[in-house]
Amino acid sequence: MRLSLFRRALVPVVAATLLVTPSPALAAPPPPFRDPSLPLAARIDDLLSRLTADEKISLLHQYQPAIPRLGIGVFKTGTEALHGVAWSTDYDNKGAVVKADGTVFPQAIGLATTWDPALVKQVGAAVGQEARGFNARNPTLWGLNLWAPVVNLLRDPRWGRNEEGYSEDPHLTSEFAIAYGRGMQGDDPRYLQAAPTLKHFLAYNNEVNRDTTSSSVPPKILHDYDEQAFRVPLQAGAANAVMPSYNLVNGRPSHVSPDLDGKLRKWAPQDIAVVSDAGAPTNLVNSEKYYPTKAEGNAAALKAGLDSFTDNDTDGSITTNAVKEAIAKSLLTMADVENADRHLLSLRFRLGEFDPPGRNPYAKITPAVIGSPEHQALARKTAGEQMVLLRNNGGALPLKAEQNKKIAVVGPLSNTLYEDWYSGAMQYKVTPLQGIKERLGSAGTVASSEGVDRVALKDLSTGKYLTAPATTGKVTAGGTVAGTGESFDVYDWGAGKNTLRAAANGKFLSYSGGALVNDVDQPAGWFVQQQLKLDAQPDGSYVLEYAGNEANEPWFGPNKFAVVGADGVLTFSSPDAAHATKFGREVLSSGVGSAVAAAKDADTAVVVVGSMPFINGREANDRTSTELAPAQRALIEAVQKANPHTIVVVENSYPTTGWDTLPVPGILWTSHAGQETGHAVADVLFGDKDPGGRLTQTWYASDAGLPSILDYDIAKTGMTYQYYRGKPLFPFGYGLSYTSFRYDNIRVSQAGGKVRVSVDVTNTGARSGSDVVQLYSKNSGVQRLRDFSKLALAPKETRTVRFDVPVADLASWDVARERSVVAAGVYEFSVGRNATDLSAPQPVYVPGERPLPRDLSRPTQAQNFDDYSGATLTDTSKVSGTSVAATAGSWLAFKNVALGGPQKFTASVSNAAAGTTRITVRLGSPTGRVLGSVPVASTGDRYAYTTVTAALAKASGRQDVYLTFDGPVNVATFSLR
């Protein structure tokens, strides 16, 4: 029957025709790849067999184009969903960022401070549901491969992306990654609700020069610390993809690490995809200069295990052309392309894309779930659970509404909520001021002030004031009096950076084409162009300096200082303060004075301070300090002096310093906790909810003792609770409750391959509350969180908490054996409320492997040292291997070596520098007895290795062997025979 019959409009004609035409043939069966009864591998094989070479290659780009002839639509890897569906990039609009308008939960660091994986799994489930809702709204824009969670360990509080991670501890991080990931995936045994992606593999904690710096991580730290946060969630099946990091690890870019197709896929019980970070494939050629051409870089990445290239925005042709060139030059084969395609198609099949309607239960989810009342309630509950009570002197909290009928709520964050780079757009915002007003109701009164100065800036050369228009426009110097148009509110964010809000229209000033315009509600953007400095000059005047993120980029140019032109328009057209316009800074109203006036007659003053997530460190910007902004500190001091009953609410996403010298009786910490922040603050302040949050990082007393942010060897630097030996401001796991707890009757036993620890926990107070019981072990001086349990207890209630720790979990990396080993010996177990407030250690002897003397007679990787100084780790080749990069004065130590009179030292070395370096073999110390030495001449290239040998003096018995260096050299392996 001809298809034209179906297009006729007149029903009688169609009916008549049908009466005389033959019976239609049965419809062709769907191709095997659309048959859900077939095994997944067979379906993928069938689909691949139907694709042309060009179509196969096209799937390698982030934006996988549609294949209409097979009825296959567009697929995109990567919808951001760190604490709610955040944003995506629009395939139909050149990759423009589109923010989601769903539920915004607390930041990831806040999710972790709940210490409640079950709650975070609920959050993950809500995020997965909303991802499906957005996908139903626009499947091209809102993909179901979600780029979350971030599991990089928070080893340094200055990392700009601290807000994105969970904890400095690998066990705690893994628990929340599993919870959030499983929540997003859903519980269906066949289908994925959404496909989470672990970010960013590996050892990535600095934003400064992040694409060119190398994280030098010794094997023990790499295996016992950094890798754990990825291995455990993958082994649990809680992630379906992994994103490599921008940085290099031990000299090799993460995007060509052999671990991508090695360890990652061995850890995961099911297939996973490896997706690149944005622009990282291009970095291999441009900033990193690791490969000379795009074809070579893409080929190396594919062979290493990368599947999807997030590169060049929506233009997939650059990637596909490079891959075609690599194939033409025999750098790749189509089998390599198909291997990557299999991983990507596996995701799409498990998301149900190729199945008939009605089979996938998650396909029934509609946009109605987005921002549902249930999700709003979950956001409020989670925001309350993540708050950490840091101080509560004299029972300052909780507030009693009947005794606190007059409350002052002041501070720069008192009546605003901030989004961050990985946040969606909040459908509504309940600020702390609004939440407290609502909680107090008509029975009380609330006074408020942002506590920021309102100033006018007068051009001292003309006497005219900077003026902002009532609508959006350029700032000029034209006002002769300081009226509304000449008034600006100054917010201090520390490090000398300010934002200025124009009173004329309530908008913040932004850099625009060299001028300033009053055009945004909040600082935001990749380049945060609202950052300004008011630089005091020796003569008492001020100059205005632009301090946006891009101001330090080489392409920005030298002109960062403001000049008022002859036309009155302010532009940043001077390279220095000397040639900039000088302003007088007139305070029209004092922020401190306003806040003090609100606070002095109040029953309680609540000061809300903290960070601006787009300014105080975020992606591409580390913090230079963790101190509170000076103006915020001054505000707290003034308000506390005026009203001794002052409570501080700190709203930020990283540890801050200086609280030990602020005498306020109560301090409550919260992350930027999303749309329900204000309700949650009020819930905790008034005791409707016990503060159940606990810190997931060590809060150090000051910045002064922190090492370089680029030093990743936490054992050497003494970072995190595992290695820190000083007294922290607030320890890992810390947090107070409104009630008190007692721990009794700690029992430790070992049987059946497990260490069992039991403790009786009693709520000794007069009100219900929650506590987090934390179990730690210590062996060889290293402390580790082994387990935890969050429990709620009624007054006087006692409950027994039991922990079972598999002996296998006590394993740590043995550099001599090159594997994880449970070392025989005594392990001390302690139970407590944080990493320093612990019970007396309970010793348990654990049978395991006993230490053996090191055998250096066989080739030994130089990176497997026991101690070192002055050396870093580097790549042996671009494909695999790790070498030690020594410099003049470096040394390596290999302890407890069994020497049987070796006669020769042999080493595989390279030396790219001119001249000769000498390697010396010593005993006992870096200056100990010399056994022998060998010169290493230049090999001309860091990857050009040669073998050098030297005779050794006789030595025997158990000895500590040291290799010392008087110049630069790379050592891959060595032996003493």
Side-chain angles (χ1 to χ4, degrees):
M1 182 173 61
R2 293 175 298 169
L3 291 176
S4 60
L5 294 177
F6 288 103
R7 300 191 183 111
R8 296 185 181 179
L10 298 176
V11 174
V13 175
V14 172
T17 306
L18 289 174
L19 291 174
V20 297
T21 54
S23 299
L26 293 176
F33 78 85
R34 293 194 179 275
D35 184 353
S37 68
L38 294 177
L40 177 59
R43 298 177 72 186
I44 293 174
D45 285 344
D46 177 70
L47 178 52
L48 278 175
S49 72
R50 298 171 186 274
L51 300 180
T52 66
D54 282 351
E55 288 168 342
K56 292 174 183 177
I57 294 171
S58 75
L59 299 182
L60 300 178
H61 193 258
Q62 178 192 22
Y63 294 93
Q64 300 177 25
I67 305 174
R69 66 184 183 83
L70 296 176
I72 295 174
V74 171
F75 183 85
K76 180 179 76 72
T77 60
T79 294
E80 301 292 353
L82 190 61
H83 53 110
V85 179
W87 51 266
S88 188
T89 47
D90 190 353
Y91 181 78
D92 295 323
N93 190 23
K94 299 182 179 180
V97 171
V98 180
K99 294 200 77 168
D101 58 351
T103 308
V104 178
F105 293 94
Q107 292 175 307
I109 184 70
L111 296 179
T113 58
T114 66
W115 287 66
D116 190 341
L119 176 62
V120 171
K121 184 180 179 184
Q122 293 178 45
V123 173
V127 175
Q129 290 165 19
E130 294 200 3
R132 278 283 175 176
F134 281 108
N135 182 258
R137 181 189 290 178
N138 185 339
T140 302
L141 173 61
W142 301 105
L144 293 171
N145 169 224
L146 306 184
W147 284 359
V150 170
V151 297
N152 297 106
L153 298 168
L154 307 182
R155 64 172 180 90
D156 194 307
R158 295 165 298 184
W159 185 35
R161 303 182 76 166
N162 198 86
E163 66 199 30
E164 298 181 36
Y166 292 131
S167 172
E168 68 184 35
D169 178 73
H171 174 71
L172 195 62
T173 294
S174 297
E175 288 292 306
F176 285 103
I178 291 169
Y180 196 64
R182 284 179 173 168
M184 288 192 288
Q185 288 175 328
D187 296 322
D188 190 88
R190 180 187 181 101
Y191 294 100
L192 294 171
Q193 179 172 248
T197 302
L198 300 182
K199 299 162 54 174
H200 313 81
F201 187 81
L202 184 69
Y204 166 47
N205 281 123
N206 64 276
E207 297 304 297
V208 57
N209 299 325
R210 60 181 179 171
D211 57 329
T212 55
T213 55
S214 177
S215 304
S216 183
V217 193
K220 190 168 182 62
I221 302 301
L222 191 73
H223 292 286
D224 288 349
Y225 188 68
D226 290 286
E227 286 184 354
Q228 294 302 307
F230 291 87
R231 180 181 64 80
V232 177
L234 285 173
Q235 287 179 335
N240 307 102
V242 177
M243 177 187 288
S245 51
Y246 280 118
N247 58 299
L248 297 81
V249 177
N250 295 339
R252 183 178 296 106
S254 295
H255 279 72
V256 291
S257 168
D259 292 339
L260 303 184
D261 207 36
K263 291 178 181 177
L264 294 180
R265 291 198 164 104
K266 287 178 181 176
W267 290 337
Q270 78 289 324
D271 194 19
I272 61 169
V274 179
V275 300
S276 88
D277 210 336
T282 291
N283 291 345
L284 292 169
V285 177
N286 289 356
S287 61
E288 293 165 350
K289 296 179 170 49
Y290 205 70
Y291 296 98
T293 67
K294 189 81 170 167
E296 289 169 275
N298 282 13
L302 273 169
K303 282 187 169 295
L306 189 71
D307 304 314
S308 178
F309 290 73
T310 311
D311 214 8
N312 308 112
D313 298 319
T314 58
D315 186 359
S317 66
I318 298 173
T319 293
T320 57
N321 287 340
V323 171
K324 290 175 184 177
E325 180 184 344
I327 292 172
K329 293 181 176 179
S330 299
L331 301 173
L332 284 175
T333 67
M334 281 306 300
D336 296 317
V337 173
E338 291 172 357
N339 186 51
D341 285 346
R342 288 178 190 279
H343 303 308
L344 296 167
L345 290 172
S346 176
L347 271 189
R348 298 177 69 168
F349 273 101
R350 284 178 289 160
L351 287 166
E353 178 181 347
F354 304 118
D355 284 9
R359 296 296 296 264
N360 178 3
Y362 301 119
K364 301 174 184 177
I365 296 175
T366 71
V369 302
I370 299 171
S372 68
E374 294 81 6
H375 293 174
Q376 293 175 16
L378 181 61
R380 179 170 182 170
K381 178 181 180 181
T382 308
E385 288 292 332
Q386 55 93 53
M387 295 193 179
V388 183
L389 184 60
L390 298 175
R391 182 184 297 167
N392 193 20
N393 294 344
L397 291 170
L399 303 178
K400 298 177 177 60
E402 61 275 14
Q403 297 174 7
N404 290 272
K405 295 186 177 181
K406 287 185 67 176
I407 295 181
V409 183
V410 301
L413 280 78
S414 61
N415 197 30
T416 190
L417 296 183
Y418 288 124
E419 297 169 359
D420 60 54
W421 182 248
Y422 287 104
S423 167
M426 293 178 241
Q427 293 180 329
Y428 62 90
K429 299 178 180 181
V430 182
T431 69
L433 175 61
Q434 293 168 336
I436 290 170
K437 277 185 175 180
E438 181 181 319
R439 177 60 178 79
L440 205 57
S442 59
T445 60
V446 177
S448 65
S449 166
E450 287 186 295
V452 298
D453 288 344
R454 175 162 287 187
V455 305
L457 298 175
K458 181 192 285 187
D459 182 344
L460 295 178
S461 66
T462 65
K464 293 184 178 181
Y465 291 93
L466 289 187
T467 304
T471 56
T472 296
K474 291 182 179 180
V475 172
T476 60
T480 56
V481 295
T484 301
E486 291 70 40
S487 301
F488 301 92
D489 299 322
V490 182
Y491 294 79
D492 176 18
W493 300 112
K497 293 186 177 181
N498 304 286
T499 53
L500 273 63
R501 185 179 64 192
N505 67 348
K507 303 286 188 180
F508 284 88
L509 303 186
S510 303
Y511 180 92
S512 177
L516 281 179
V517 296
N518 53 336
D519 64 346
V520 299
D521 294 324
Q522 288 187 355
W526 182 253
F527 295 123
V528 185
Q529 298 183 308
Q530 295 76 42
Q531 298 177 88
L532 302 166
K533 290 183 178 181
L534 281 168
D535 298 332
Q537 301 303 296
D539 61 1
S541 67
Y542 290 83
V543 297
L544 195 60
E545 180 185 357
Y546 179 59
N549 301 63
E550 79 275 36
N552 293 321
E553 296 288 346
W555 49 261
F556 183 80
N559 295 329
K560 302 173 186 177
F561 292 86
V563 176
V564 175
D567 58 357
V569 177
L570 181 147
T571 61
F572 291 91
S573 51
S574 173
D576 53 41
H579 297 87
T581 298
K582 291 186 176 182
F583 296 99
R585 184 182 187 273
E586 298 179 7
V587 178
L588 305 179
S589 63
S590 165
V592 167
S594 174
V596 166
K600 64 181 181 180
D601 295 325
D603 299 316
T604 294
V606 178
V607 187
V608 189
V609 295
S611 68
M612 201 290 138
F614 279 88
I615 294 175
N616 294 111
R618 50 143 258 243
E619 184 172 358
N621 294 102
D622 292 315
R623 277 173 286 281
T624 56
S625 173
T626 60
E627 293 180 356
L628 197 64
Q632 295 187 19
R633 183 182 178 90
L635 177 67
I636 295 170
E637 290 173 337
V639 170
Q640 198 271 335
K641 185 176 180 180
N643 187 331
H645 199 258
T646 291
I647 306 299
V648 175
V649 176
V650 189
E651 187 176 345
N652 68 8
S653 48
Y654 53 90
T656 47
T657 59
W659 301 108
D660 51 334
T661 57
L662 282 170
V664 291
I667 304 174
L668 180 69
W669 177 90
T670 175
S671 73
H672 293 279
Q675 62 204 42
E676 287 285 347
T677 299
H679 279 147
V681 166
D683 289 341
V684 174
L685 289 181
F686 284 92
D688 301 326
K689 179 184 287 290
D690 191 57
R694 302 293 184 264
L695 299 179
T696 64
Q697 286 179 273
T698 302
W699 284 39
Y700 301 100
S702 74
D703 293 328
L706 299 181
S708 166
I709 196 172
L710 300 178
D711 195 335
Y712 279 74
D713 187 350
I714 59 173
K716 277 282 190 185
T717 62
M719 294 291 281
T720 80
Y721 79 91
Q722 293 189 1
Y723 296 97
Y724 188 58
R725 297 298 173 259
K727 182 179 180 181
L729 180 64
F730 298 114
F732 173 85
Y734 176 86
L736 303 175
S737 168
Y738 288 150
T739 187
S740 54
F741 299 91
R742 186 180 70 242
Y743 290 23
D744 298 308
N745 195 21
I746 299 172
R747 292 91 72 194
V748 181
S749 61
Q750 184 195 167
K754 294 181 180 180
V755 176
R756 168 161 288 185
V757 181
S758 300
V759 61
D760 297 335
V761 182
T762 302
N763 179 351
T764 58
R767 57 179 291 151
S768 297
S770 63
D771 201 15
V772 178
V773 185
Q774 301 166 38
L775 174 67
Y776 294 86
S777 73
K778 182 174 280 190
N779 177 258
S780 301
V782 181
Q783 184 179 11
R784 288 182 180 160
L785 177 73
R786 291 300 177 183
D787 208 347
F788 61 93
S789 178
K790 188 170 187 176
L791 70 164
L793 296 176
K796 312 307 177 186
E797 181 184 1
T798 298
R799 198 179 305 169
T800 299
V801 178
R802 295 183 177 86
F803 299 110
D804 285 330
V805 180
V807 168
D809 287 356
L810 301 176
S812 61
W813 191 258
D814 186 315
V815 291
R817 292 179 169 96
E818 295 189 90
R819 59 181 172 85
S820 285
V821 169
V822 178
V826 174
Y827 292 74
E828 296 178 342
F829 289 86
S830 299
V831 178
R833 304 194 66 212
N834 57 65
T836 62
D837 183 8
L838 295 170
S839 66
Q842 304 293 309
V844 177
Y845 178 79
V846 175
E849 298 188 51
R850 297 188 175 279
L852 299 174
R854 295 196 69 152
D855 178 8
L856 299 185
S857 66
R858 54 188 176 83
T860 299
Q861 290 192 60
Q863 68 163 328
N864 287 329
F865 46 72
D866 293 297
D867 198 3
Y868 70 104
S869 176
T872 57
L873 297 175
T874 190
D875 51 334
T876 306
S877 75
K878 291 187 177 183
V879 177
S880 64
T882 299
S883 296
V884 171
T887 58
S890 299
W891 55 260
L892 308 177
F894 300 84
K895 304 292 184 69
N896 190 30
V897 178
L899 294 179
Q903 298 180 358
K904 185 170 66 173
F905 170 75
T906 304
S908 175
V909 296
S910 73
N911 180 8
T916 299
T917 290
R918 184 166 293 276
I919 304 174
T920 302
V921 183
R922 297 175 179 267
L923 295 183
S925 76
T927 58
R929 176 192 168 199
V930 174
L931 291 187
S933 65
V934 62
V936 181
S938 175
T939 62
D941 186 276
R942 58 183 290 199
Y943 299 119
Y945 278 77
T946 189
T947 299
V948 295
T949 62
L952 296 176
K954 289 186 177 181
S956 61
R958 301 284 183 90
Q959 304 276 1
D960 293 342
V961 174
Y962 285 76
L963 303 184
T964 64
F965 308 87
D966 68 358
V969 65
N970 294 340
V971 185
T973 61
F974 75 97
S975 64
L976 278 67
R977 294 185 182 179

